[in-house]
């Protein structure tokens, strides 16, 4: 039995039902947490080394690396049963939505640095690492469900694929 199923089995029924009902959002949040770490890891690595005087550029690179990871994780895990579009169309829309998300993500950092003239680590992290990321994440979850992966149950769940593979192996 997979680890997730065992963990779910230990939860009280009301919580288990809530988790099942919102599993797509929970998975999206897990992908967001992973890409948050990727984004900020790349950003700080660049900001503290080769792009120390170009903080916004460093952040943009961090966000772009995270967006690529996000596409793979979103398609194959968060929204693995959604679809309704040809793969190339889906990818183009994903990157368009993510591009808008990059702009949403950068706005608070840009405003912090260039409008409010704040140049501290705390201001950079709060505006770029937290506020920008939260705004972009909310926008992206809505847009992914609405435009990129609009059709629920367009692809079979992973469990159904395993059953089909097992049936083919038996035959």
């Amino acid at each position: 039995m997979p680890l997730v199923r065992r963990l779910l089995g230990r939860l009280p029924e009301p919580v288990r039902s809530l988790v099942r009902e919102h599993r797509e959002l929970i998975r999206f949040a897990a992908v967001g947490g992973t890409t948050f770490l990727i984004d900020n890891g790349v950003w700080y690595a660049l900001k503290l080394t080769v792009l120390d005087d170009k903080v916004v550029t460093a952040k943009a690179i961090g966000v772009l690396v995270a967006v690529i990871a996000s596409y793979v994780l979103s398609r194959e895990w968060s929204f693995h049963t959604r679809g309704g579009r040809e793969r190339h169309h889906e990818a183009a829309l994903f990157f368009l939505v993510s591009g808008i998300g990059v702009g949403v993500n950068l706005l608070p950092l840009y405003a912090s640095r260039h409008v409010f003239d704040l140049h501290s680590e705390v201001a950079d992290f709060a505006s770029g690492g937290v506020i920008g990321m939260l705004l972009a994440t909310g926008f992206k979850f809505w847009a992914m469900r609405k435009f990129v992966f609009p059709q629920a149950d367009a692809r079979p769940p992973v469990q159904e694929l395993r059953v089909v593979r097992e049936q083919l192996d038996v035959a």
Side-chain angles (χ1 to χ4, degrees), residues 77-141:
W77 193 55
S78 296
F79 301 110
H80 70 281
T81 61
R82 288 177 120 1
R85 300 195 184 283
E86 292 181 26
R87 185 105 178 219
H88 67 278
H89 190 207
E90 176 184 275
L93 285 171
F94 183 92
F95 289 108
L96 176 64
V97 165
S98 294
I100 295 167
V102 168
V104 170
N105 197 315
L106 292 175
L107 280 174
L109 178 62
Y110 183 86
S112 175
R113 278 282 173 143
H114 301 291
V115 175
F116 300 115
D117 203 30
L118 301 172
H119 295 275
S120 71
E121 289 298 319
V122 172
D124 283 353
F125 183 75
S127 61
V130 178
I131 297 169
M133 183 68 74
L134 288 173
L135 291 173
T137 299
F139 164 74
K140 284 176 56 180
F141 183 71

Side-chain angles (χ1 to χ4, degrees), residues 23-39:
R23 68 178 160 254
E24 196 172 79
L25 178 61
I26 292 167
R27 287 178 176 191
F28 185 80
V31 169
T34 302
T35 57
F36 174 83
L37 294 174
I38 292 168
D39 172 13

Side-chain angles (χ1 to χ4, degrees), residues 17-79:
S17 295
L18 193 61
V19 168
R20 270 193 218 113
E21 184 179 335
H22 297 288
R23 68 178 160 254
E24 196 172 79
L25 178 61
I26 292 167
R27 287 178 176 191
F28 185 80
V31 169
T34 302
T35 57
F36 174 83
L37 294 174
I38 292 168
D39 172 13
N40 284 296
V42 171
W43 177 34
Y44 271 86
L46 293 172
K47 176 182 164 175
L48 298 174
T49 58
V50 297
L51 293 175
D52 62 334
D53 60 336
K54 297 191 185 308
V55 176
V56 175
T57 302
K59 180 63 174 174
I61 293 169
V63 169
L64 290 173
V65 171
V67 165
I68 293 167
S70 179
Y71 175 67
V72 173
L73 293 171
S74 292
R75 182 171 201 304
E76 300 303 325
W77 193 55
S78 296
F79 301 110

